[in-house]
């Protein structure tokens, strides 16, 4: 079954200091265009992750996200005792010089010092390291797997849509045959009517030669044969090729050429209406094929 290039996958894993979340989103694209949008991933692991994503998702515009939620103990800010003592000694010295030894208790001074921004510092540790890399790697693979499941569900919808549109085009080709036979007679009547208006007597041999010329110009049998072949090839490709998206786009272009030629040769309003319907179905097929992996 085909896959869509649109998808979303998410997974999480518990590390020593908290939880790591991985999200991957993808849209249609000609190649694997991968954007790493996180500062948590070590630079020496980035190439490895890119290869992992490209191998698992083939192609598409892919965004990779990582977020980290530390435990309460890990998220607590650390007090720098050296800075605290430095501030306390400075304040004590100023109090003595100003004769303010009784102004404020030590507890009040300490409380004031702890409000200084540079006294507190966030704990800076690498979230991802060699010790937990296996867990992180499995988390990334799980997110890729979830995204592929999403793509498969979307692919089933795309499959039903495009194959129904191809079936509609084939049905229109069958309808075209109902209106073909009368066209040649209509051309003859128009030519003879024109001669009657001009009060001229046509040369029968020349008239028949002209009729053959016009009938050959109006013949759409080859276009019908080729269009049916292209439709069958489209259906066969979508069934058998694991990643048919690009090829389906090329086949749809060939289908378009035959439909356009049929329209230019139609010379019949009923056939023209069917051609318009086929073009409408084909545009939807092209649009959806862009999103097929």
């Amino acid at each position: 079954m085909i896959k869509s290039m649109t998808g979303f996958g998410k997974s999480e894993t518990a590390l020593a200091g908290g939880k790591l979340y991985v999200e991957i989103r993808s849209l249609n694209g000609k190649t694997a265009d991968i954007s790493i949008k996180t500062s948590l991933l070590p630079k020496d692991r980035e190439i490895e992750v890119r290869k992992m994503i490209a191998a698992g998702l083939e192609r598409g515009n892919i965004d990779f996200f990582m977020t980290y939620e530390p435990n309460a103990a890990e998220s607590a800010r650390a007090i720098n005792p050296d800075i605290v003592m430095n501030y306390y000694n400075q304040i004590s010295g100023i109090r003595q010089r100003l004769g303010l030894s009784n102004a404020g208790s030590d507890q009040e001074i300490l409380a004031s010092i702890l409000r200084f921004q540079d006294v507190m510092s966030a704990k800076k540790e690498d979230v991802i390291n060699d010790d937990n890399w296996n867990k992180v790697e499995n988390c990334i693979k799980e997110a890729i797997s979830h995204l592929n499941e999403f793509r498969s569900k979307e692919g089933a919808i795309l499959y039903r849509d495009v194959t129904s549109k191809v079936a509609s085009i084939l049905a229109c080709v069958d309808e075209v045959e109902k209106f073909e036979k009368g066209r040649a007679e209509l051309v003859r009547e128009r030519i003879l009517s024109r001669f009657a208006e001009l009060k001229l007597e046509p040369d029968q041999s020349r008239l028949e030669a002209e009729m053959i010329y016009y009938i050959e110009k109006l013949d759409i049998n080859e276009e019908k044969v080729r269009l049916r072949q292209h439709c069958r090839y489209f259906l066969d490709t979508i069934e058998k090729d694991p990643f048919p998206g690009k090829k389906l786009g090329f086949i749809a272009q060939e289908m378009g050429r035959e439909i356009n030629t049929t329209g230019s040769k139609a010379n019949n309003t009923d056939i023209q209406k069917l051609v318009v319907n086929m073009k409408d179905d084909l545009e939807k097929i092209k649009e959806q094929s862009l999103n097929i992996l």
Side-chain angles (χ1 to χ4, degrees), residues 242-262:
F243 306 113
K246 290 182 179 179
K247 188 182 290 186
L248 295 179
F250 298 143
I251 299 171
Q253 289 179 8
E254 296 302 316
M255 292 165 63
R257 289 191 179 93
E258 305 306 330
I259 293 172
N260 288 332
T261 306
T262 299

Side-chain angles (χ1 to χ4, degrees), residues 86-293:
N86 188 291
Y87 277 130
Y88 180 80
N89 292 334
Q90 290 184 63
I91 293 171
S92 297
I94 292 171
R95 289 170 65 195
Q96 290 177 1
R97 292 175 63 181
L98 296 176
L100 301 174
S101 58
N102 296 323
S105 65
D106 289 341
Q107 289 85 352
E108 291 174 339
I109 294 172
L110 181 60
S112 298
I113 293 173
L114 292 177
R115 286 196 288 268
F116 297 166
Q117 289 186 357
D118 56 346
V119 168
M120 300 288 189
S121 60
K123 294 181 179 179
K124 291 186 177 179
E125 295 180 1
D126 291 334
V127 173
I128 299 172
N129 50 53
D130 291 340
D131 293 334
N132 61 22
W133 175 246
N134 283 339
K135 295 185 73 174
V136 174
E137 184 179 27
N138 289 334
C139 186
I140 295 171
K141 289 179 178 178
E142 186 179 359
I144 292 172
S145 177
H146 290 167
L147 193 149
N148 274 322
E149 290 173 8
F150 190 107
R151 281 180 160 188
S152 294
K153 291 177 182 177
E154 290 291 309
I157 297 171
L158 285 174
Y159 175 85
R160 290 193 296 269
D161 188 31
V162 295
T163 53
S164 67
K165 295 294 186 296
V166 173
S168 177
I169 290 174
L170 286 170
C172 285
V173 176
D174 293 338
E175 287 291 314
V176 164
E177 294 180 344
K178 297 179 182 179
F179 305 105
E180 280 189 87
K181 295 180 181 179
R183 292 183 307 146
E185 189 58 35
L186 184 61
V187 170
R188 175 185 285 274
E189 289 177 3
R190 287 176 180 173
I191 294 175
L192 292 176
S193 175
R194 187 58 177 160
F195 274 114
E197 288 177 9
L198 297 174
K199 297 181 180 180
L200 297 174
E201 187 66 31
D203 180 271
Q204 291 300 317
S205 60
R206 180 65 185 274
L207 177 62
E208 292 302 323
E210 291 295 323
M211 284 296 301
I212 292 171
Y213 171 76
Y214 279 110
I215 290 171
E216 286 180 348
K217 285 189 67 175
L218 295 176
D219 182 49
I220 56 175
N221 187 61
E222 288 185 13
E223 285 74 17
K224 290 187 302 176
V225 170
R226 286 195 292 264
L227 181 54
R228 286 189 173 113
Q229 288 175 341
H230 294 325
C231 288
R232 285 193 291 269
Y233 186 33
F234 188 101
L235 295 173
D236 188 56
T237 300
I238 203 171
E239 290 287 350
K240 296 180 180 179
D241 198 317
F243 306 113
K246 290 182 179 179
K247 188 182 290 186
L248 295 179
F250 298 143
I251 299 171
Q253 289 179 8
E254 296 302 316
M255 292 165 63
R257 289 191 179 93
E258 305 306 330
I259 293 172
N260 288 332
T261 306
T262 299
S264 65
K265 290 183 175 184
N267 197 35
N268 179 280
T269 56
D270 293 307
I271 294 178
Q272 287 287 7
K273 289 177 182 178
L274 291 168
V275 166
V276 170
N277 290 337
M278 286 192 283
K279 286 183 176 181
D280 182 48
D281 285 330
L282 184 63
E283 283 304 308
K284 293 173 182 175
I285 289 171
K286 288 181 178 179
E287 184 179 346
Q288 297 289 46
S289 294
L290 290 174
N291 204 30
I292 295 176
L293 185 62

